[in-house]
Amino acid sequence: MKNVISAVCVHCGHEVEATPTTYTCPKCGGIMDIKYDYKYIREHLTKEKLADRKDPSIWRFKEFLPVAEDLNYPKLRVGGSPLYKADRLAEELGVKTLYIKDDGINPTASLKDRASALAVAKAYEAGMDTIACSSTGNAASSLAGNAAAAGFKTYIFVPSRAPKGKVSQLMIFGANVVSVQGSYEDTFRLSAEAIERWGWYNRNAAINPYLMEGKKTVSLEIAEQLDFDMPDYIALSVGDGCTIGGVWKGLKDLYEAGFIDKLPRLISVQSTGCYPINRAIQENAPWRPMEENTIADSIAVGVPRNPDKALNAIRESNGIAVNVTDEEILSAMRLLGRTCGVFGEPAGVTGTAGLKKALEEGLIPRDASVVSIVTGNGLKDTANAIKAAGEPISIPADMNLLLKAFQEKGFDLK
């Protein structure tokens, strides 16, 4: 990998060779970051060359990714999700310019496909045949789908509260699924022990630095879709911290390589039922564990596994930490659907819920430009979708009963 210099520990700064199985720092056990040769990237990739590429997937950004030049690319088309200019929603929220990045259209319906595509690529480079992870749901289904397409075996550990829609994906993709009766922390610990015992490739976000490199491609896409004219803010939901860390890593890589001249501020949004990272920002204190008490299962992480990169991203970007209730999340599901035609799961729309709250509380100016990332599709969790939208009218096939139902609903029929 001529574009990669090394893997650097975010804690002690120790540098090692970035091999496919480089995980945590051998010196202090800290999480690693991939260090790039930006001069090499500038010499081999320009905006014009990028625009000429036909491949819409994340691999169009190969110079920004830690993959071998002769990579046998994973089979599913990951990335290339739409960026919608959401004028109706912007008017309703009272912000000048708003874009919605709908990552729920990825193959397994979440942003996590970006990370899993990198995991599959690195497992292939390492010559392994089995990949494992723990997950609250989306990372699990994304790994199962991407691995299945590439012919890898998977062992996936999920907490027993994971929505059935996500678990059903795992089973359909042929994963070996272990439902752990406990918290996400319990699930992670058991997966780590199993991975160590059987020597599987480790897709866990807190361990594998390449997953963040996959997630950062959402930033690269946003930049290209905006013709590299960056917004003032990017809003997104936060769970274990890997996604917001990846978004910031992508922005910094673009900046250092000379593709953008402005770094957006990040809006970190968590649920009031579980917000250990945001609490650390708001209290300017070390993060502490919290209970996992929110309908947004994908971000219900009481012991975040990537807190350092997440906290660094928020602080370095002069970002904002916003907490929203489950009711505000359900409201955001309806709002995005009604104004944009975008169907997001609870965790997927949490960023938009936080943007609405930030505007209401005057945390960001009304003349700002914002991108809100929807990280997962609503079909992942139909139970909460029904909770958000309500039940349909249910009547016998009788016009009089239809008229009565319309009157009760207050429909304005002319």
Side-chain angles (χ1 to χ4, degrees), residues 310-344:
L311 293 169
N312 289 343
I314 300 166
R315 288 168 177 151
E316 287 178 11
S317 72
N318 190 25
I320 299 167
V322 181
N323 304 320
V324 293
T325 65
D326 282 355
E327 290 70 25
E328 289 169 323
I329 291 171
L330 292 173
S331 176
M333 291 178 71
R334 295 190 297 271
L335 187 60
L336 272 166
R338 177 170 54 80
T339 62
C340 302
V342 172
F343 186 18

Side-chain angles (χ1 to χ4, degrees), residues 7-31:
V8 185
C9 178
V10 299
H11 291 291
C12 70
H14 182 62
E15 293 192 38
V16 298
E17 181 185 358
T19 70
T21 54
T22 294
Y23 295 137
T24 54
C25 177
K27 190 174 181 180
C28 74
I31 296 174

Side-chain angles (χ1 to χ4, degrees), residues 271-277 279 287-292 301-304:
S271 167
T272 54
C274 189
Y275 60 103
I277 288 175
R279 180 171 64 181
W287 73 271
R288 307 186 308 280
M290 292 190 74
E291 291 186 7
E292 300 168 354
V301 183
V303 181

